[in-house]
Amino acid sequence: MRKQSFIILLSLLLIQQVTAQSPELLTIRKYANKNAGNIINEFTEFLSLPNVAADTVGQQKNAAFIMDMMKKRGIQKVQLLPASTAGVPPAVYGEVMVPGAKKTLVFYAHYDGQPVNPSQWAAGLSPFQPKLFSNAMDRGGTNMPFPPDGSYDNEWRIYARGAADDKAGVDAILNAYDAINKSNMIPGCNLKFFFEGEEEAGSTHLNEILEKHRSLLGSDLWIICDGPVHQSGKRQIVLGVRGDTRLDLTVYASKRPLHSGHYGNWAPNPAMMLVKLLASMKDDNGRVTIKGFYDDVTPLTTAERKALAEVPSVDEQMKKELGIKGVDMQGLTLSEAINQPSLNINGMQSGNVGTQSSNQIPTYAAAAIDLRLVLGNDWKRQQQKLVDHIKAQGYYVTAKDPTDEERTNYSKIIKIVPKNDGYNAQRADMELPIVQEVIAGVKSISSNRVVLQPTMGGSLPLFIFEKYLAAKTVTVPVANHDNNQHAENENIRIGNLFDGIETMGALMLIK
Amino acid sequence: MRKQSFIILLSLLLIQQVTAQSPELLTIRKYANKNAGNIINEFTEFLSLPNVAADTVGQQKNAAFIMDMMKKRGIQKVQLLPASTAGVPPAVYGEVMVPGAKKTLVFYAHYDGQPVNPSQWAAGLSPFQPKLFSNAMDRGGTNMPFPPDGSYDNEWRIYARGAADDKAGVDAILNAYDAINKSNMIPGCNLKFFFEGEEEAGSTHLNEILEKHRSLLGSDLWIICDGPVHQSGKRQIVLGVRGDTRLDLTVYASKRPLHSGHYGNWAPNPAMMLVKLLASMKDDNGRVTIKGFYDDVTPLTTAERKALAEVPSVDEQMKKELGIKGVDMQGLTLSEAINQPSLNINGMQSGNVGTQSSNQIPTYAAAAIDLRLVLGNDWKRQQQKLVDHIKAQGYYVTAKDPTDEERTNYSKIIKIVPKNDGYNAQRADMELPIVQEVIAGVKSISSNRVVLQPTMGGSLPLFIFEKYLAAKTVTVPVANHDNNQHAENENIRIGNLFDGIETMGALMLIK
């Protein structure tokens, strides 16, 4: 049962911030509002299917559910795209070819979620039993029944694993198409749908899937519908990601732990050696002092610099939220800082601390480091700069624990082990016509509510799309920034889900 | 059964390095050699008694065993000296008053040992089943039966908990007296014997025992028979110990762990903050840069400087043994280095390393620090210098986890928690007549085989003797330096045990 009053209410809530929209967008919004009850019913059914990537049976059910969703909506060529490797969750594919269309967009989301530890979820919550709350729990929201009349408020939340990351993406995409189709409109371009089932497990077989099914996947642009909108709550278009590479460092001293009394001052202390080494890597303004660290950086274009300047500041809001006063790179905003390569200490260990500590000189000191990369950086070259810096501090570098001979020959010995293959940053050119059209598409909803980010701080292997398909990507997220992504109590804000339908719809109308 | 050939053999082994000795010392040595079988039999019986301080029943057996040893040797006033606190292992006391003696020496050793983890001991060894080996195990020594004829070789070893630390001390002292007594000689001074049962547990109740039984414990000097002889194998007299105080440091950043991609460069990294702070505490020459760190140091006297210059160098030997090339304080020998106050990082932790690490910015970084002190340093003042240095680096110092208000007000926050009450260094004046007599006593055995150390690097709460009895102490160790003290496979070299009997005997002859 849908009430007229609900439509008016929801229209008010959702539309009141909108300034000037096309009739098509208004139609999409109206359709979504009118069908909110059905949309949420289907969504909660979807969220009830456990979706951890390693759960093969669970993932088959999710993939089958998505195929049904697509078939119901009249999408063509609905099929699974398996990897070459057996037992891997397949991608789910479908397409809508539009006669006379000049462009093809692929809409990407992933249906797998992060592993769950149900015991860490709040009392009354279970990862695969979606619950409705009157607001975020940490803002005093309480559990409430799903309304039988389908009247939803923007501030309400649904708690479940995958609610935000990234079944909300699947749902926003498929309901956007549904709204266009059921409203007797025609998309502006050819649409392809690609839903991955292994993203949270590292997209380990995405390369195989793309290679094997390349012939299906030709496009002008991939729209990556994943991640949160801006912390300010505004819609966000992200044109790139930072690259990443990680290394383990171990500095060695005496072969056996020494009594700090009998040998302190004389025997080298590996923890002190390591802190001196790490401290040499950054200055007091937070700038990395490794030679050439910033040299390869591709400068931001005028358009990107302009976009960056227009990103609303969330720095004070985030400082309050995180309980910090100062920042790392002096004088840079969060948006500016993530457009620079970074060197982060992820972890550090030597001897013991607290009640476990003893008055010893430890035998080694270890650190885990990650280097974030921006456009222009090459992950191997960036690693090499770090290694060269360490050598310049007088270290003998080895890839293994030192031999007795090495110990005799060198007073400063470090083991450096790259943790994995790194990957480079990726950034779509903001001035490419297709990218401009995406920007215009999202802005067509509300130009003063769109944040344009040249890059996000985190890293995604978007280079895979470039490498295996020569494809371009733009990320257009829909989830609220406080969605507890990857953690317990994951949730989607209702308003974000419906904004997402509208946003995806706007992109499908691009001609 | 004792063979004449054995006596000749052992005499050759033990006496060949001796240059010129008094008839009394020769008598002591002869007696010990002749009775080697009985001495070792009694010693292994003693070592078979488990002696961890917390094992109350086991400690009662040890104390009773020592009382029996003393009574058998005709020592007077044999008794237990309990602490005021119940359930604490008592000290064992006895005395020999010499008519006309002008001086009183107290001979100290402890009968408790470090806790044991039998699974860490080498195959075939059990901490409380003493075993004889043909040499140190890591020099190819193999297990052999105890010889029925009592013929022992200096290089043989007995493996058991307490064999070196410090039942060897008890044994050397009581057998030295036995040798004097049974050879119809008379000690040069009054002798008191004091065997502690709680040293490895931190001498927590020693103050109570000394206070409660002060009337029994008047003396001119305490001889502390504990620890190893010099790494060169030479006999050693140690006139002092370093003091010690320990602190836990914790640097704080964001309240929740952050994604190093989304926030790296912007959010402060507590590990980087901590390494900068710790690195600021020492220069590249290993000197502590904390203001005034070396200011209070009481300079070595001319005699102490001379003694230090005569300590044989073991630096190259130790570097080889430990697998290190460089040293911490540039240009100082081991002996010189331990005569300076030191700052040691005992442990350090932030986030995770190795396979456990994730690409995060941790919430905190912790370090455990110990400050070793030399004569002139005050542990509270030395702690304050460290705190002042940290404040001068811009830190707000707290004793607790920071509140939200503190997080809002300060960009650099550190928690500093002293781990315990520290204690100061202690050093007997080398030129005191009684100390000179001890030096002469030990040198009377072999002047070119005695190392005179103004201080040892480690710390012992010798200040307790000064504080509660106004007593002076000199440490005269007997164990081999490679005795695996505090660890698995503890052992005593036979030659060291017999040298120890002779050394203690020489001291008992002081008039």
Side-chain angles (χ1 to χ4, degrees):
Chain A
M1 287 288 294
R2 189 141 5 299
K3 290 181 189 164
Q4 197 62 22
S5 62
F6 156 63
I7 298 175
I8 294 164
L9 167 73
L10 197 62
S11 299
L12 276 170
L13 286 166
L14 293 175
I15 299 175
Q16 62 189 3
Q17 305 123 331
V18 174
T19 48
Q21 287 192 326
S22 66
E24 289 92 342
L25 278 181
L26 286 173
T27 307
I28 292 172
R29 177 168 289 275
K30 268 189 203 163
Y31 176 88
N33 291 350
K34 197 169 144 192
N35 291 281
N38 292 336
I39 289 171
I40 300 285
N41 285 349
E42 183 188 52
F43 188 49
T44 56
E45 202 183 328
F46 188 21
L47 294 177
S48 304
L49 303 175
N51 69 337
V52 178
D55 169 8
T56 319
V57 176
Q59 289 296 73
Q60 283 170 353
K61 289 182 189 167
N62 277 282
F65 191 90
I66 296 171
M67 289 175 77
D68 274 353
M69 287 176 80
M70 291 210 264
K71 285 174 186 166
K72 271 188 212 162
R73 284 157 174 83
I75 291 170
Q76 309 293 308
K77 286 201 190 173
V78 173
Q79 60 189 287
L80 300 178
L81 305 185
S84 316
T85 305
V88 170
V92 188
Y93 178 82
E95 63 178 45
V96 174
M97 289 296 141
V98 177
K102 291 177 188 152
K103 301 197 182 81
T104 301
L105 297 183
V106 189
F107 288 82
Y108 166 101
H110 63 89
Y111 63 89
D112 66 312
Q114 279 276 319
V116 289
N117 182 345
S119 70
Q120 295 174 338
W121 286 57
L125 289 186
S126 176
F128 300 111
Q129 292 174 8
K131 291 270 170 71
L132 186 67
F133 275 69
S134 58
N135 202 322
M137 293 176 72
D138 54 9
R139 293 184 190 176
T142 52
N143 184 212
M144 56 192 291
F146 285 90
D149 63 358
S151 58
Y152 283 87
D153 185 291
N154 275 348
E155 295 306 329
W156 294 354
R157 307 247 178 161
I158 296 173
Y159 280 82
R161 170 58 82 230
D165 184 19
D166 184 29
K167 286 183 174 176
V170 177
D171 224 55
I173 291 168
L174 293 181
N175 284 310
Y177 175 67
D178 209 24
I180 291 172
N181 191 36
K182 295 275 169 58
S183 308
N184 295 314
M185 299 190 295
I186 295 171
C189 53
N190 296 319
L191 309 178
K192 293 181 178 179
F193 304 99
F194 183 98
F195 301 119
E196 190 189 355
E198 210 191 17
E199 198 272 346
E200 300 295 1
S203 296
T204 322
H205 302 89
L206 181 58
N207 58 342
E208 289 180 10
I209 296 176
L210 299 186
E211 260 197 311
K212 191 170 170 180
H213 307 284
R214 187 186 291 157
S215 60
L216 273 181
L217 298 172
S219 76
D220 293 280
L221 185 72
W222 283 62
I223 304 288
I224 308 294
C225 182
D226 192 10
V229 301
H230 193 247
Q231 291 100 331
S232 63
K234 298 192 180 189
R235 283 180 174 83
Q236 176 160 267
I237 301 172
V238 183
L239 296 169
V241 290
R242 288 206 277 192
D244 189 31
T245 184
R246 299 168 66 191
L247 301 101
D248 286 333
L249 313 181
T250 312
V251 168
Y252 296 85
S254 166
K255 282 200 268 190
R256 60 167 200 257
L258 294 175
H259 191 288
S260 66
H262 293 315
Y263 295 96
N265 270 358
W266 184 75
N269 186 311
M272 186 54 83
M273 291 168 74
L274 182 67
V275 303
K276 288 265 177 201
L277 179 62
L278 294 173
S280 76
M281 295 179 188
K282 283 191 118 171
D283 67 17
D284 290 338
N285 293 319
R287 277 187 71 87
V288 177
T289 50
I290 292 172
K291 194 176 167 192
F293 196 79
Y294 301 101
D295 277 3
D296 305 318
V297 176
T298 304
L300 294 173
T301 63
T302 310
E304 287 167 340
R305 279 205 308 277
K306 180 168 177 288
L308 209 56
E310 287 170 0
V311 173
S313 173
V314 290
D315 290 37
E316 293 310 314
Q317 168 196 333
M318 291 309 300
K319 282 182 188 175
K320 196 172 169 194
E321 195 173 316
L322 302 176
I324 55 176
K325 183 170 187 242
V327 297
D328 188 30
M329 282 189 95
Q330 300 303 311
L332 294 198
T333 64
L334 174 54
S335 292
E336 289 165 346
I338 60 175
N339 276 284
Q340 294 289 338
S342 71
L343 178 150
N344 306 296
I345 304 176
N346 303 139
M348 200 162 71
Q349 187 265 323
S350 184
N352 293 297
V353 298
T355 53
Q356 301 243 293
S357 72
S358 60
N359 49 6
Q360 63 157 328
I361 299 171
T363 55
Y364 71 89
I369 300 284
D370 85 297
L371 304 175
R372 298 280 167 175
L373 316 172
V374 298
L375 212 62
N377 292 145
D378 173 79
W379 67 271
K380 283 187 186 165
R381 207 160 57 224
Q382 206 74 345
Q383 277 194 356
Q384 191 58 47
K385 289 176 199 167
L386 175 69
V387 171
D388 290 345
H389 175 87
I390 292 171
K391 286 181 179 169
Q393 311 304 306
Y395 275 89
Y396 169 75
V397 174
T398 168
K400 294 180 182 170
D401 291 350
T403 62
D404 283 350
E405 197 186 340
E406 287 168 328
R407 286 175 168 279
T408 307
N409 290 338
Y410 304 102
S411 54
K412 292 166 108 179
I413 301 176
I414 193 169
K415 180 171 75 175
I416 304 183
V417 180
K419 221 177 185 73
N420 52 14
D421 277 359
Y423 53 82
N424 292 345
Q426 196 273 355
R427 189 161 82 223
D429 180 350
M430 194 177 278
E431 301 185 71
L432 273 183
I434 183 74
V435 175
Q436 282 292 320
E437 284 170 272
V438 167
I439 296 169
V442 179
K443 283 193 173 170
S444 71
I445 305 167
S446 170
S447 65
N448 70 351
R449 294 189 68 241
V450 179
V451 175
L452 208 55
Q453 292 273 23
T455 191
M456 68 180 213
S459 304
L460 287 173
L462 296 186
F463 76 97
I464 294 177
F465 296 98
E466 192 163 340
K467 181 169 175 186
Y468 292 92
L469 299 178
K472 300 190 185 317
T473 58
V474 165
T475 300
V476 185
V478 300
N480 36 301
H481 90 281
D482 58 349
N483 67 56
N484 289 352
Q485 188 183 3
H486 292 201
E488 57 278 12
N489 309 334
E490 180 176 346
N491 67 85
I492 184 80
R493 183 177 161 274
I494 295 288
N496 280 72
L497 185 63
F498 282 80
D499 278 2
I501 294 172
E502 192 182 28
T503 306
M504 292 300 123
L507 297 175
M508 291 174 190
L509 295 175
I510 290 173
K511 286 194 175 138
Chain B
M1 289 289 291
R2 191 141 1 302
K3 287 183 192 164
Q4 199 60 26
S5 63
F6 156 63
I7 300 176
I8 295 165
L9 168 73
L10 198 60
S11 300
L12 276 171
L13 287 166
L14 293 175
I15 301 177
Q16 63 189 2
Q17 305 123 330
V18 174
T19 49
Q21 286 193 325
S22 67
E24 289 92 343
L25 279 181
L26 286 173
T27 306
I28 291 172
R29 177 169 290 274
K30 267 189 203 160
Y31 176 88
N33 289 351
K34 197 169 142 191
N35 291 281
N38 291 336
I39 289 171
I40 300 285
N41 285 350
E42 185 188 49
F43 188 49
T44 55
E45 203 182 329
F46 189 21
L47 293 177
S48 304
L49 302 174
N51 70 336
V52 178
D55 170 8
T56 319
V57 176
Q59 289 295 72
Q60 283 170 354
K61 289 183 188 164
N62 278 281
F65 191 90
I66 296 171
M67 289 174 76
D68 274 352
M69 286 176 80
M70 292 210 263
K71 286 175 185 165
K72 271 189 212 163
R73 283 159 174 83
I75 292 170
Q76 310 291 308
K77 287 202 189 172
V78 173
Q79 61 191 286
L80 300 178
L81 305 185
S84 316
T85 305
V88 170
V92 187
Y93 177 82
E95 64 178 42
V96 173
M97 288 297 140
V98 177
K102 291 175 186 154
K103 299 196 181 84
T104 300
L105 296 183
V106 190
F107 288 83
Y108 166 102
H110 63 89
Y111 63 88
D112 66 311
Q114 279 275 320
V116 289
N117 181 345
S119 70
Q120 293 174 338
W121 287 56
L125 288 185
S126 176
F128 301 112
Q129 293 173 7
K131 291 269 169 72
L132 186 66
F133 275 69
S134 57
N135 202 325
M137 292 175 74
D138 55 9
R139 292 185 191 175
T142 53
N143 185 213
M144 56 191 292
F146 285 92
D149 63 358
S151 57
Y152 283 87
D153 186 290
N154 274 348
E155 296 304 332
W156 295 354
R157 309 246 176 161
I158 296 174
Y159 280 83
R161 169 58 81 231
D165 182 21
D166 182 30
K167 286 184 174 176
V170 177
D171 225 55
I173 291 167
L174 292 181
N175 285 311
Y177 174 68
D178 209 24
I180 290 171
N181 192 36
K182 295 273 169 60
S183 310
N184 297 311
M185 298 192 294
I186 295 171
C189 55
N190 296 318
L191 308 178
K192 294 182 177 178
F193 304 98
F194 182 98
F195 301 118
E196 190 190 355
E198 210 190 17
E199 198 270 346
E200 300 294 1
S203 296
T204 321
H205 302 89
L206 181 58
N207 57 342
E208 290 182 10
I209 295 176
L210 298 186
E211 261 196 312
K212 191 169 171 182
H213 307 283
R214 187 185 292 156
S215 60
L216 273 180
L217 298 173
S219 77
D220 294 280
L221 187 71
W222 285 61
I223 304 288
I224 308 295
C225 183
D226 192 11
V229 300
H230 193 247
Q231 291 98 333
S232 63
K234 298 192 179 188
R235 283 179 173 84
Q236 176 161 266
I237 301 172
V238 182
L239 296 169
V241 290
R242 288 207 276 192
D244 189 32
T245 184
R246 299 168 66 190
L247 303 102
D248 287 332
L249 313 181
T250 312
V251 168
Y252 295 86
S254 167
K255 283 200 268 189
R256 62 168 200 256
L258 295 175
H259 191 289
S260 66
H262 292 316
Y263 295 96
N265 269 359
W266 183 76
N269 186 310
M272 185 54 83
M273 291 169 74
L274 182 67
V275 303
K276 287 264 177 202
L277 179 62
L278 294 173
S280 76
M281 296 179 187
K282 285 192 118 171
D283 68 17
D284 290 338
N285 293 318
R287 277 187 72 86
V288 177
T289 50
I290 293 172
K291 195 176 168 192
F293 196 79
Y294 301 100
D295 277 1
D296 305 318
V297 176
T298 304
L300 295 175
T301 63
T302 310
E304 288 167 340
R305 279 206 308 278
K306 181 168 175 288
L308 209 56
E310 287 170 359
V311 173
S313 172
V314 291
D315 290 37
E316 293 310 313
Q317 169 197 333
M318 290 309 300
K319 283 182 188 174
K320 196 173 167 192
E321 197 173 314
L322 302 175
I324 55 176
K325 183 170 187 240
V327 297
D328 188 29
M329 282 188 95
Q330 301 302 311
L332 294 198
T333 64
L334 174 54
S335 293
E336 290 164 346
I338 60 176
N339 276 284
Q340 294 289 338
S342 71
L343 178 152
N344 307 296
I345 304 175
N346 302 138
M348 200 163 71
Q349 187 265 322
S350 184
N352 293 297
V353 297
T355 51
Q356 302 243 292
S357 71
S358 61
N359 49 5
Q360 63 158 327
I361 299 171
T363 56
Y364 71 89
I369 298 285
D370 84 299
L371 304 176
R372 298 281 167 174
L373 317 170
V374 298
L375 212 63
N377 292 144
D378 173 79
W379 67 270
K380 282 187 186 164
R381 209 160 55 223
Q382 207 74 347
Q383 276 194 356
Q384 192 57 49
K385 289 177 199 167
L386 175 69
V387 172
D388 291 345
H389 175 86
I390 292 172
K391 285 181 177 167
Q393 311 305 307
Y395 275 89
Y396 169 73
V397 174
T398 170
K400 296 180 182 169
D401 290 350
T403 62
D404 282 350
E405 197 185 340
E406 288 168 328
R407 287 175 167 280
T408 305
N409 291 337
Y410 304 102
S411 53
K412 291 166 110 179
I413 301 176
I414 191 168
K415 180 172 74 175
I416 304 184
V417 181
K419 218 176 187 75
N420 50 14
D421 277 359
Y423 53 82
N424 293 344
Q426 196 274 353
R427 188 160 82 222
D429 180 350
M430 195 176 278
E431 301 185 71
L432 274 184
I434 183 72
V435 174
Q436 283 293 320
E437 285 170 89
V438 166
I439 295 169
V442 179
K443 282 193 173 169
S444 71
I445 303 166
S446 169
S447 64
N448 70 351
R449 295 190 66 242
V450 179
V451 175
L452 208 55
Q453 291 274 23
T455 192
M456 68 180 214
S459 304
L460 287 172
L462 296 187
F463 77 96
I464 294 178
F465 296 97
E466 193 163 338
K467 180 169 178 185
Y468 291 93
L469 300 178
K472 301 190 185 314
T473 57
V474 165
T475 300
V476 185
V478 300
N480 36 300
H481 90 278
D482 58 350
N483 68 57
N484 289 353
Q485 189 185 359
H486 292 198
E488 58 276 13
N489 308 335
E490 180 175 346
N491 66 86
I492 184 77
R493 182 177 161 273
I494 295 289
N496 280 71
L497 185 63
F498 282 81
D499 279 1
I501 294 172
E502 191 181 27
T503 305
M504 292 299 121
L507 297 175
M508 291 174 189
L509 295 174
I510 290 173
K511 287 195 174 141

